[in-house]
Amino acid sequence: MNQTLSNKQLVSIANEFGTPVYVYHAEKITEQYHKLTNGFAKANARFFYACKSLTNINVLKHVKSLGASLDCVSIHEVMLGLKAGFEPQEILYTPNCVDFAEIEAAKNLGVNINIDNISILEQFGTKFGSSYPVLIRLNPHIMAGGNFKISTGHIDSKFGISIHQVRHIERIVKSTGIKVFGLHMHTGSEIKDVNVFLQGLEVMFEMARHFMDTLEVIDLGSGFKVPYNDTDIETDVASLGDKVAAAFAEFEKETGKSLQVWFEPGKYLVSECGYFVVKANVIKTTTATTFVGVNSGFNHLIRPMFYDSYHFIKNISNPKGSERIYTVVGNICETDTFAWDRTLNEVREGDYLTFFNAGAYGFEMSSNFNSRLKPAEVLVKDDAPKLIRKRDEFDDLLRNQVID
Ligand SMILES: *Cc1c(COP(=O)(O)O)cnc(C)c1O
């Protein structure tokens, strides 16, 4: 696996800051961002970091320093983005099923708003008319895996407004005067085949023809994939960039309209920058397997249990130990298996194990389940580790509890 922080660096961070600890490598985020901007050099593209994957404000500031914009799914993410120094026009707010008051709060902050249902579109248009142009999130009814299908069977996704409702959208535009400056789609995570984006883009170009007077942007969301193991692939952004640039140029030739393309990568930017370092508490051999019980659980990294995700694991404190097969589990009173039958260099009690690809949806999805404390976060920049979030303390568990 691609490892940009050495075992030695990670062990030293674990010794200094304790475990469990999330460690992020700033230069890896930079590298990923540059792969995107280079890949899309021929396109008129803008990248909005989908910050729900990792919201630590120090990471947001680093992403801002690279020149990226920000994609937010809640008003509090918007507020974090503003606090990190993003300008309102650099922020895109793409909520789902939030109430009108939250949309209005975002409007008052001046950020780009992406509306994903007819009800809010109607209310927003009625209240603000043409004064505040918006984007609309469409559901293009695209099946993952390269099959392009418009089918009533997929009309129940809770995200976006169905492309079959374009007439309804047009009616609202006409009667309220609301201006649609962007059309958005986000079909999901980990799209392996770049053609899925291109098929989505074809649908978006069709939809664009309904909003030609006001349209400036097509937002293709995310779905950029990164490798989680040695045989896994990464989205070929260079090839996608060229194809997207060509498709937009063709659209411009046909219609005379030059549009900008927006993307919202989360995982692509921050997954591989992250290492989650834990300590082996107990080695337990049963009749069936050898367990390594670590000082963490799904309260800190839930992806293996929630999505059946694979995270590469390495014993960084005994990297030359002879290889043995282990089942890696957490210390939570719940079945929290990180990995079955994993080959690791011999694990001794006290060794540090590291989960790779822990930057995206790692710390962000953590909780205090079992009254355990959330881990610390450390950012390494110019080879210097810096604590960017203190480990929880016992008082944090009581912070909002009302005690008589
Ligand atoms: C989650 C999300 C993203 C980011 O997805 P990744 O797979 O992390 O790149 C982008 N856009 C929207 C609207 C999202 O909800």
Side-chain angles (χ1 to χ4, degrees):
M1 288 296 292
N2 182 0
Q3 181 178 350
T4 62
L5 291 176
S6 67
N7 291 346
K8 207 169 146 221
Q9 275 174 303
L10 291 168
V11 167
S12 132
I13 288 167
N15 286 338
E16 181 176 353
F17 300 97
T19 59
V21 60
Y22 275 97
V23 183
Y24 312 121
H25 188 199
E27 282 78 12
K28 180 63 185 168
I29 303 176
T30 309
E31 181 191 322
Q32 292 298 101
Y33 184 69
H34 288 155
K35 271 198 250 174
L36 285 175
T37 51
N38 292 336
F40 283 84
K42 290 186 199 136
N44 180 8
R46 239 178 114 180
F47 298 95
F48 292 73
Y49 166 51
C51 71
K52 74 172 188 284
S53 54
L54 177 55
T55 53
N56 188 294
I57 193 152
N58 299 275
V59 172
L60 300 187
K61 284 180 181 168
H62 178 67
V63 168
K64 159 95 183 123
S65 77
L66 300 175
S69 299
L70 200 67
D71 180 55
C72 301
V73 292
S74 74
I75 194 72
H76 297 107
E77 283 188 358
V78 170
M79 288 157 70
L80 280 173
L82 292 170
K83 206 171 167 70
F86 288 90
E87 297 296 328
Q89 61 279 14
E90 291 171 330
I91 295 178
L92 171 60
Y93 169 61
T94 299
N96 174 255
C97 291
V98 305
D99 67 4
F100 190 71
E102 187 171 317
I103 305 261
E104 207 170 346
K107 183 213 164 245
N108 291 334
L109 294 173
V111 301
N112 295 296
I113 298 178
N114 194 356
I115 294 182
D116 104 319
N117 65 81
I118 291 278
S119 163
I120 296 281
L121 184 68
E122 207 168 77
Q123 293 175 66
F124 198 91
T126 303
K127 190 149 186 185
F128 304 115
S130 64
S131 69
Y132 204 93
V134 296
L135 298 95
I136 292 181
R137 177 172 189 168
L138 294 171
N139 180 350
H141 304 301
I142 297 219
M143 302 266 290
N147 287 319
F148 167 47
K149 200 162 171 182
I150 295 173
S151 116
T152 48
H154 303 280
I155 258 169
D156 9 302
S157 162
K158 74 160 187 165
F159 295 103
I161 303 175
S162 168
I163 48 173
H164 303 304
Q165 288 177 290
V166 65
R167 231 183 239 312
H168 200 161
I169 299 171
E170 284 181 305
R171 283 221 166 80
I172 294 168
V173 166
K174 196 159 169 219
S175 48
T176 65
I178 189 167
K179 289 201 169 91
V180 178
F181 81 93
L183 293 178
H184 167 276
M185 66 167 229
H186 170 63
T187 51
S189 217
E190 305 213 343
I191 298 170
K192 289 185 182 163
D193 181 357
V194 298
N195 290 315
V196 172
F197 286 98
L198 298 169
Q199 285 160 349
L201 183 54
E202 285 311 311
V203 177
M204 299 303 271
F205 282 149
E206 274 312 304
M207 292 297 117
R209 294 170 195 269
H210 297 267
F211 306 96
M212 288 301 261
D213 294 344
T214 51
L215 201 68
E216 296 163 24
V217 168
I218 287 179
D219 181 334
L220 295 178
S222 181
F224 293 110
K225 197 180 151 29
V226 292
Y228 277 77
N229 62 54
D230 283 331
T231 56
D232 219 359
I233 60 147
E234 174 168 317
T235 303
D236 183 349
V237 293
S239 151
L240 180 63
D242 285 350
K243 288 176 177 170
V244 164
F248 274 80
E250 181 63 29
F251 183 80
E252 184 176 352
K253 215 165 87 189
E254 263 175 50
T255 63
K257 185 100 188 166
S258 161
L259 297 173
Q260 197 170 53
V261 61
W262 291 4
F263 288 99
E264 303 155 354
K267 194 174 274 186
Y268 189 83
L269 288 177
V270 298
S271 175
E272 292 169 287
C273 84
Y275 302 84
F276 183 45
V277 186
V278 302
K279 182 167 69 70
N281 278 341
V282 174
I283 312 295
K284 180 177 188 174
T285 300
T286 68
T287 44
T289 186
T290 301
F291 287 106
V292 182
V294 302
N295 65 348
S296 181
F298 75 40
N299 51 322
H300 297 155
L301 178 64
I302 202 171
R303 295 187 76 259
M305 303 81 181
F306 198 46
Y307 303 120
D308 259 332
S309 309
Y310 178 98
H311 282 265
F312 180 76
I313 305 172
K314 185 170 178 183
N315 182 353
I316 56 167
S317 52
N318 190 22
K320 300 231 162 76
S322 52
E323 291 189 337
R324 301 189 56 184
I325 295 170
Y326 297 94
T327 297
V328 181
V329 296
N331 60 355
I332 291 297
C333 289
E334 178 63 73
T335 302
D336 59 346
T337 309
F338 287 111
W340 286 103
D341 301 335
R342 211 49 93 73
T343 303
L344 299 172
N345 298 106
E346 181 178 10
V347 185
R348 305 154 304 184
E349 292 178 356
D351 269 339
Y352 293 134
L353 299 190
T354 294
F355 294 85
F356 283 52
N357 285 82
Y361 311 106
F363 183 89
E364 285 311 305
M365 294 177 93
S366 66
S367 75
N368 290 112
F369 187 47
N370 277 203
S371 292
R372 295 227 166 254
L373 308 178
K374 287 199 193 182
E377 292 178 290
V378 168
L379 181 67
V380 179
K381 205 173 189 169
D382 300 325
D383 282 329
K386 182 179 152 220
L387 185 68
I388 57 170
R389 181 191 298 266
K390 290 189 256 180
R391 184 178 307 289
D392 269 0
E393 296 171 351
F394 175 67
D395 281 350
D396 292 314
L397 297 178
L398 288 167
R399 190 148 41 104
N400 290 324
Q401 298 195 41
V402 179
I403 304 166
D404 287 329

